[in-house]
Amino acid sequence: MFLNSEKKLLNIIKFGPVLPLLLLSLIITLTLINQTKKDLSNSIKYIKNEYLKENKIIIKNEINKVVNLINFEITKSEDSLKELLKQRVYEAHEVATTIYNQTINQKDQDKKLSKEQAFELIKFALTGMSYKDERGYFFMDDINGVKLMQPFNESFVGKNFSEFTDANGYKFIQKRIEVIKNKSESFDEYYWYKPNDKKTTYKKISFYKYFEPYNISIGIGEYVVDFETKLKEKVLSWLDRIKSGSNQYIFVYNIDGTCLLHSKKEYIGVNRLNIKDKNGRLFLKDALSFAQRNKKGYINYLSSYNNNYASSNKISYIQYLNNWEWIIVTGFYLDKLNKEITKKEQELVKKNNDLINKILLISFILTIILILMSFYISNIIAKKFNNYRKELKKESNKILEKEKLLIQQSKMAMMGEMIGNIAHQWKQPLSTIRMSNQIIKFEKEDKNIQELEDIDYAIKKIDDSVVYLANTIDDFKNFFNPNKDTCEFSIEDTFKKTFNLIDSEFKNLNISIIQDISDVKIFAYQNELLQVLINIIKNAKDEFTKNENSNKKHCLFINVYKQNNNAIIKIKDNAGGIRADVLDQIFDAYFTCKNEIDNTGIGLHMSKKIIEDNMNGKLEATNVEYTYEGSLFKGAEFVITIPIS
């Protein structure tokens, strides 16, 4: 049976790890593969999002860069315009000063002009200095806001415009009056009509300078829209050379849908507001509406590209340039982006497949290595297990032999003591038999057969002694009976047998036995319990013998009771107790405090083994102090605990 169990155990050690290793390897491999696939999927999603995000950022930055450059050009151009206007006014001021000085301060009285004549000459000179196409002209106003000079609208001359406002309610004439009062110069911006367009006002930038001889201001203005026309042409030419990406251009439309800049030159100047895409959507109209509403942002639409006008989804970034009412657009085609993403995705898939193949190869190699290690380790364990089993069997045999020897020594030691007890207990009955025989013999010799009573008494004594000897022989025979069968018996009866066997040893030793024994029955080995009780009681007797010269009364207390389905047996003496330094060793084999000639040191050791190994009980020893009949005693107490059933 044990060999079969060992074989099963060795097979489990050898083959048991294989299946878990294969299963673990499979789980790890599948987990790694699934995780790799998830990582691949996440990487593809990430690349798509990043590519889309990156391209959107690129086109947004491109538009922002263009708008910033345009705004910079506008700002720079306005500064240049202001500088030009200022320079022109300074020239006119110098001309007017020269005419005034040369006419009013003329030494030749025939050539000398009046102040009014000089002013008319100044007006004539400044009118000739105006720009062509009536774009820029000089004008003069007095301190009251009366128009003194307006080259292209003589009806304004002589009228007071001090309270006149432009289209936004701005009283720009007040600025000229302020310049005259302060005898200074200044720029101004307002909205005014063009000479050839009396219905629409346009933003105009002017510069005024105080002219002291007449306490007036000389000014000139330029319509921004006229100045910006050339600037727009310059910007569009510049943008035409800029590409936001590969084959991607910047497109510019007016707010009315007129194309100003396109990669297809035939579209320039054409109003494409009603152009539809493949799905019939007016994408340009929607884009312009989006730009007016949101000023800037991304839009998706279907667009065409290449020479074959293939259609593709396109993402564009639009920004509305409010100053010029331009819509500036650039974007990228999704199918071109998808081609880049697909290419990157194929690279990732290839790397992922290579990684999975490596994982499978590594997993296979590790599994084989682990299986081989499992077989190798199991073989080592099997060898060690066999060696251990052999050693264990040897040690077990040695222990069994020692146990047998201990039991035999214990029995032999006790047998010697018992033989002494038999001798003690047989002396009195044998003496009685001898004395009775002598009585009969004397009566017979005296032939006094009338003394029948003496003969009957002698015969009765002989019978009693013979019965006593027979009972004694039975008690000793039962004690040495090797019967190991369990039976139910009374602990009280066991103590009676105990005292019958050792009664002779307690005579003449002045030992008082105080018993408090309840009638408790247990199911166990009676002879073995009898052996334990004899060992404990005889040890107490031996301690009393050591102190036989003491005047103290020797007492042995025996208490038996039932507690928690256990039989409790307590045996204590007043012999002074066990030395503290050896108390923990008294149950060790061959340990004894007695003379080695008198004791083998296996009595208490065998007693503990009997109680704990054979009866599933417990045997303990302690030193106790207690009071009895007013006297303080100290001694050893042995406590036996045995399950009742």
Side-chain angles (χ1 to χ4, degrees):
M1 179 178 177
F2 288 109
L3 290 176
N4 290 333
S5 299
E6 291 173 8
K7 288 180 179 179
K8 288 180 181 179
L9 181 59
L10 290 174
N11 287 332
I12 290 172
I13 294 171
K14 183 178 290 184
F15 300 105
V18 175
L19 183 59
L21 282 173
L22 291 174
L23 184 61
L24 180 62
S25 176
L26 180 62
I27 291 172
I28 293 173
T29 303
L30 292 176
T31 302
L32 288 173
I33 291 173
N34 289 333
Q35 185 61 44
T36 304
K37 289 181 177 179
K38 286 181 181 179
D39 292 341
L40 173 63
S41 177
N42 292 333
S43 296
I44 292 172
K45 289 180 181 178
Y46 176 78
I47 288 173
K48 287 181 178 179
N49 292 333
E50 286 301 308
Y51 265 52
L52 186 62
K53 182 179 177 182
E54 182 180 346
N55 279 270
K56 289 174 76 173
I57 291 173
I58 288 173
I59 61 175
K60 179 181 178 181
N61 290 339
E62 190 66 27
I63 293 297
N64 288 336
K65 181 174 70 175
V66 169
V67 171
N68 289 336
L69 287 173
I70 291 174
N71 288 330
F72 174 75
E73 287 295 328
I74 292 173
T75 303
K76 185 175 72 172
S77 298
E78 287 186 358
D79 291 341
S80 299
L81 176 59
K82 287 181 178 181
E83 186 63 31
L84 176 61
L85 293 175
K86 183 177 181 180
Q87 182 180 349
R88 294 288 291 164
V89 169
Y90 270 60
E91 290 175 358
H93 193 278
E94 185 176 353
V95 168
T97 302
T98 300
I99 293 173
Y100 180 82
N101 289 333
Q102 288 180 352
T103 57
I104 298 299
N105 299 321
Q106 179 61 254
K107 295 181 180 180
D108 189 350
Q109 293 296 323
D110 293 334
K111 294 181 180 180
K112 189 174 182 179
L113 299 177
S114 67
K115 205 171 182 181
E116 288 77 11
Q117 290 173 331
F119 184 72
E120 290 300 323
L121 185 60
I122 291 172
K123 285 173 58 177
F124 178 79
L126 295 185
T127 300
M129 292 176 63
S130 299
Y131 290 169
K132 63 179 180 177
D133 301 328
E134 302 179 355
R135 281 179 50 212
Y137 51 87
F138 292 104
F139 48 82
M140 291 186 287
D141 300 271
D142 67 10
I143 195 169
N144 296 316
V146 176
K147 184 66 65 179
L148 301 178
M149 176 182 172
Q150 184 74 16
F152 301 105
N153 198 336
E154 290 295 333
S155 62
F156 286 174
V157 177
K159 292 184 179 181
N160 190 316
F161 288 92
S162 59
E163 297 299 323
F164 189 80
T165 59
D166 69 357
N168 295 326
Y170 173 56
K171 296 180 179 181
F172 57 92
I173 300 299
Q174 294 292 329
K175 184 73 172 179
R176 301 175 189 179
I177 295 173
E178 183 181 345
V179 167
I180 296 170
K181 289 180 178 180
N182 295 330
K183 298 180 180 182
S184 60
E185 60 186 31
S186 177
F187 288 101
D188 196 11
E189 294 181 6
Y190 54 93
Y191 288 82
W192 192 246
Y193 299 96
K194 283 187 175 184
N196 57 355
D197 186 359
K198 303 301 182 181
K199 295 181 179 180
T200 307
T201 59
Y202 298 89
K203 181 181 178 181
K204 192 171 186 179
I205 298 177
S206 297
F207 182 76
Y208 321 127
K209 183 172 178 61
Y210 174 66
F211 187 57
E212 185 178 5
Y214 295 97
N215 197 30
I216 62 173
S217 65
I218 300 175
I220 192 171
E222 177 73 24
Y223 292 99
V224 175
V225 65
D226 294 334
F227 188 78
E228 286 180 345
T229 300
K230 288 189 176 181
L231 178 61
K232 288 179 181 179
E233 293 174 357
K234 175 185 174 183
V235 169
L236 289 173
S237 176
W238 167 62
L239 292 178
D240 190 37
R241 298 191 297 270
I242 295 178
K243 296 180 180 180
S244 62
S246 178
N247 297 322
Q248 298 296 314
Y249 291 82
I250 292 176
F251 305 100
V252 181
Y253 285 87
N254 264 339
I255 197 66
D256 62 358
T258 301
C259 181
L260 302 178
L261 182 66
H262 202 282
S263 59
K264 299 182 185 301
K265 303 301 180 183
E266 62 269 23
Y267 289 171
I268 297 175
V270 177
N271 190 300
R272 306 184 72 237
L273 191 63
N274 295 321
I275 299 298
K276 297 180 180 180
D277 63 11
K278 187 178 180 180
N279 296 328
R281 177 187 173 192
L282 297 171
F283 65 92
L284 182 58
K285 185 177 180 180
D286 293 342
L288 296 177
S289 298
F290 174 84
Q292 285 182 295
R293 286 195 314 270
N294 302 290
K295 304 305 179 185
K296 57 185 176 181
Y298 296 98
I299 61 168
N300 295 339
Y301 59 95
L302 193 65
S303 180
S304 61
Y305 64 95
N306 296 332
N307 293 329
N308 59 358
Y309 294 94
S311 296
S312 171
N313 286 323
K314 189 174 184 179
I315 295 178
S316 293
Y317 186 79
I318 295 179
Q319 185 158 346
Y320 179 52
L321 190 62
N322 191 53
N323 292 344
W324 290 355
E325 294 187 334
W326 278 8
I327 308 297
I328 304 175
V329 186
T330 190
F332 58 90
Y333 293 99
L334 288 178
D335 62 344
K336 292 184 178 179
L337 179 65
N338 288 334
K339 286 181 182 178
E340 296 180 14
I341 293 174
T342 301
K343 183 179 178 182
K344 188 67 177 178
E345 182 178 345
Q346 289 173 349
E347 293 176 1
L348 287 175
V349 169
K350 185 177 182 303
K351 289 181 180 179
N352 182 70
N353 291 335
D354 293 341
L355 179 60
I356 289 175
N357 291 333
K358 288 180 181 178
I359 290 173
L360 290 173
L361 179 62
I362 292 171
S363 175
F364 177 76
I365 294 173
L366 286 177
T367 302
I368 296 299
I369 292 173
L370 290 173
I371 290 173
L372 293 176
M373 287 178 62
S374 173
F375 279 114
Y376 176 73
I377 292 171
S378 63
N379 287 331
I380 293 175
I381 293 174
K383 290 179 181 179
K384 290 189 175 293
F385 192 82
N386 288 329
N387 293 333
Y388 174 74
R389 183 168 55 81
K390 291 177 182 178
E391 292 296 326
L392 185 63
K393 188 174 181 180
K394 288 181 182 179
E395 292 299 323
S396 178
N397 291 335
K398 289 180 182 180
I399 291 172
L400 288 175
E401 291 297 328
K402 288 181 180 180
E403 288 291 335
K404 289 179 181 179
L405 180 60
L406 284 174
I407 293 171
Q408 185 64 25
Q409 287 179 343
S410 177
K411 287 285 186 180
M412 293 301 294
M414 193 165 287
M415 185 180 291
E417 295 179 1
M418 290 302 175
I419 289 172
N421 290 342
I422 292 171
H424 280 293
Q425 293 187 206
W426 277 23
K427 282 182 181 180
Q428 185 176 351
L430 289 174
S431 297
T432 302
I433 292 172
R434 182 180 179 187
M435 184 180 66
S436 298
N437 285 332
Q438 288 293 331
I439 291 172
I440 294 172
K441 181 180 178 182
F442 290 155
E443 291 295 334
K444 184 178 179 181
E445 289 176 356
D446 292 340
K447 296 180 189 252
N448 187 9
I449 58 175
Q450 298 297 323
E451 299 293 333
L452 294 177
E453 291 182 2
D454 293 336
I455 294 174
D456 290 338
Y457 174 78
I459 292 172
K460 185 178 182 304
K461 282 289 186 181
I462 291 171
D463 289 338
D464 290 341
S465 297
V466 170
V467 169
Y468 177 77
L469 292 174
N471 289 336
T472 303
I473 290 299
D474 287 339
D475 288 339
F476 280 99
K477 181 180 70 174
N478 290 333
F479 174 71
F480 290 106
N481 187 355
N483 182 19
K484 293 287 286 182
D485 294 334
T486 58
C487 62
E488 186 179 50
F489 59 90
S490 170
I491 295 179
E492 186 177 9
D493 291 340
T494 305
F495 267 104
K496 288 180 181 179
K497 291 182 180 182
T498 300
F499 289 118
N500 283 339
L501 292 174
I502 61 175
D503 180 64
S504 61
E505 294 186 55
F506 279 75
K507 288 181 178 180
N508 303 320
L509 288 179
N510 191 26
I511 299 174
S512 298
I513 300 177
I514 298 91
Q515 302 182 44
D516 182 11
I517 302 175
S518 299
D519 187 14
V520 180
K521 294 182 179 181
I522 62 173
F523 196 83
Y525 302 102
Q526 187 176 21
N527 278 348
E528 293 192 352
L529 178 60
L530 185 64
Q531 181 179 350
V532 171
L533 297 177
I534 290 174
N535 277 330
I536 294 173
I537 293 173
K538 283 177 61 61
N539 280 338
K541 185 266 295 181
D542 292 340
E543 291 300 316
F544 289 140
T545 303
K546 291 180 183 178
N547 301 322
E548 59 184 355
N549 295 327
S550 173
N551 294 325
K552 184 183 292 186
K553 181 180 180 181
H554 300 314
C555 295
L556 186 67
F557 298 88
I558 299 173
N559 187 14
V560 178
Y561 58 92
K562 179 180 177 182
Q563 185 182 61
N564 297 330
N565 205 35
N566 290 320
I568 308 298
I569 303 172
K570 291 185 177 181
I571 303 172
K572 64 182 176 182
D573 56 46
N574 63 341
I578 304 168
R579 293 203 330 261
D581 59 329
V582 299
L583 184 60
D584 294 335
Q585 306 174 46
I586 60 172
F587 294 114
D588 294 346
Y590 302 108
F591 177 81
T592 179
C593 294
K594 301 175 184 179
N595 190 307
E596 292 184 0
I597 297 174
D598 299 330
N599 196 285
T600 60
I602 59 174
L604 288 178
H605 172 70
M606 290 305 302
S607 296
K608 190 173 183 67
K609 288 184 68 65
I610 288 169
I611 295 299
E612 295 186 357
D613 294 349
N614 296 351
M615 298 187 182
N616 296 321
K618 193 172 183 181
L619 174 58
E620 298 174 299
T622 57
N623 289 324
V624 294
E625 290 185 357
Y626 57 94
T627 302
Y628 178 71
E629 292 183 350
S631 298
L632 179 64
F633 291 154
K634 180 180 180 181
E637 180 180 62
F638 289 83
V639 180
I640 302 171
T641 303
I642 303 174
I644 291 178
S645 59

